Amino acid sequence: MSEFEAAAERLRGTIVRTPLVPLAADGSSEVWIKPETLQPTGSFKVRGVLNAVDRMDQATRARGLSTVSAGNTAKALAWCGRRFGVPARSLMPEGAPAAKIDAVRALGGTPVLVPTEQVFRFLRERQWERESFAFVHPWTDPDLHAGHGSMGLEILADLPDVDTVFIPVGGGGLLAGVGGALKASKPSVRIVAVEPEGCPSFHASMRAGRSVTVDCRTICDGVAVPYVAEELFPLLSELADEIVLVTEDEVRAAIRLLATSSHLVAEGAGALAVAAALKMPASVRGRCVCPVTGGSIDADKLAAILA
C-alpha cells in the first residue's frame, strides 16, 4: 500500500469524501469541481494536518500542536487539537482574514498574530526546532502530503478518464500531495499548477530554475506565499506539467460563478483552479477537475465581489 493509500484509509470516516460536481448548472460541462469547502474546517487542509497529527506518537502529540498559517491550516490544526484533546497554536500574519482568525479561536485554537515578515522568518530560520510544541510544517511535511494525496485518489476513483487537474499553489503542499498521488496512479494525467498574477512565486522559480522570492499582492491570501521552499522545489517542478497565472478579476469572476451557479462560497485561493480552467480553451483542458480548496472569506469582501 502506498503512503497515499495508507493515508486515505487512515482518514476514512473522519474527513468528508467530497464529490465531483459539474460546474455548469445543466450538467453538460467537462469542468468538474471538488468542493473541499464541505470538509469540517471548510478547506482541504484537514486532510494533511489530520494525517500528520494522527501519525505522531501519543507523547509527541501531548506536547501540544503548532504550525504557521494564513488561516486554513490553523483551523485544521485547532480542529485536530480539539479531536485529540491537546493545545493547538498557530503563528498567523496580522493581516489574516478576520473570518479565519475567529474560526481558529472558535475551534479552541490559539492564533498568535505577528507581522507577515516574522511568519516567513520563522519558517526560513527553522525556529520551530527551538519550541516545545510538536510542529506540523504547512508545506514540506511528508505526512501532510500523503493526507492531501487522498484527494487525488478520490478524483481518479470518480473520474478515471480525467485529462487535467488544476491545482492551486501557495507553499506547495497541495501540489506535492495531490499531484504526487495522481502521477503515481496515472502518469498521463496533466497537472496544471495555478497561481495569482499578484504572487507568482512558483512561476518565477521555474523560470529561474531555483527557488526565488517575489512580492505578493493578491486577494488570494491562502496562497500568498512569496517563495517556494528550496527542499520542495525539485518535487514541484517535476510534478507540474504547466503553470497558469490568473488575474485578480478572473479570480473574482470565478468566485461569483461558484456562488451563483454552484451555490458555493469560495475564498480567493479556493476559486483559483476554476479561474484557470475557464481561462484555458476546452479543447486543451479536456475533461478536467478543479478543487475548490477553501471557503473562508470575510463577509464584506464576498459582498463586494458579488455586487
Side-chain angles (χ1 to χ4, degrees):
M1 179 182 291
S2 73
E3 68 271 25
F4 302 114
E5 292 169 323
E9 186 61 32
R10 197 173 295 114
L11 299 174
R12 193 184 311 277
T14 304
I15 60 98
V16 176
R17 192 195 187 288
T18 54
L20 292 183
V21 182
L23 180 62
D26 62 5
S28 63
S29 174
E30 291 294 287
V31 179
W32 298 78
I33 57 175
K34 190 166 178 63
E36 287 293 294
T37 53
L38 300 179
Q39 295 296 350
T41 61
S43 86
F44 76 94
K45 297 284 191 176
V46 71
R47 292 178 181 265
V49 175
L50 177 57
N51 190 58
V53 173
D54 193 62
R55 291 270 290 161
M56 295 176 182
D57 59 67
Q58 188 173 352
T60 299
R61 274 199 305 267
R63 290 158 43 194
L65 308 173
S66 171
T67 194
V68 170
S69 172
N72 285 329
T73 302
K75 288 172 62 180
L77 194 79
W79 186 87
C80 289
R82 174 177 286 183
R83 178 177 175 81
F84 288 98
V86 298
R89 70 183 186 195
S90 297
L91 201 68
M92 299 178 67
E94 292 172 335
K100 293 182 177 180
I101 297 171
D102 293 343
V104 172
R105 291 195 177 106
L107 287 165
T110 302
V112 181
L113 304 179
V114 298
T116 301
E117 58 270 19
Q118 188 173 331
V119 171
F120 294 115
R121 189 184 314 123
F122 182 93
L123 289 171
R124 285 184 184 274
E125 297 177 0
R126 302 178 67 88
Q127 294 179 22
W128 72 83
E129 295 177 347
R130 302 195 291 272
E131 69 172 18
S132 60
F133 279 40
F135 186 72
V136 177
H137 199 292
W139 312 329
T140 65
D141 189 321
D143 289 327
L144 185 96
H145 299 165
H148 292 339
S150 63
M151 189 198 306
L153 299 184
E154 292 174 10
I155 290 171
L156 289 178
D158 290 347
L159 195 66
D161 55 350
V162 61
D163 298 307
T164 306
V165 178
F166 293 86
I167 303 178
V169 178
L174 182 62
L175 175 56
V178 177
L182 288 169
K183 287 292 190 181
S185 301
K186 185 180 180 181
S188 64
V189 69
R190 187 155 157 256
I191 304 295
V192 178
V194 188
E195 291 185 300
E197 286 187 353
C199 190
S201 55
F202 183 43
H203 180 263
S205 296
M206 287 292 285
R207 295 189 66 178
R210 58 182 177 83
S211 177
V212 299
T213 300
V214 301
D215 290 330
C216 286
R217 290 183 173 83
T218 176
I219 62 171
C220 305
D221 56 271
V223 296
V225 180
Y227 67 95
V228 176
E230 290 185 9
E231 61 266 44
L232 205 54
F233 177 67
L235 174 61
L236 300 186
S237 59
E238 179 182 341
L239 290 174
D241 296 300
E242 184 178 344
I243 302 174
V244 170
L245 300 181
V246 296
T247 67
E248 300 294 284
D249 284 344
E250 288 166 341
V251 171
R252 292 187 181 94
I255 291 174
R256 284 193 294 271
L257 179 64
L258 286 166
T260 55
S261 74
S262 301
H263 312 293
L264 287 176
V265 172
E267 61 187 274
L272 273 174
V274 170
L278 296 178
K279 188 171 186 172
M280 184 177 288
S283 60
V284 176
R285 69 183 183 231
R287 188 174 284 103
C288 69
V289 172
C290 302
V292 180
T293 55
S296 296
I297 184 171
D298 286 345
D300 56 348
K301 181 182 290 187
L302 177 62
I305 291 172
L306 295 180

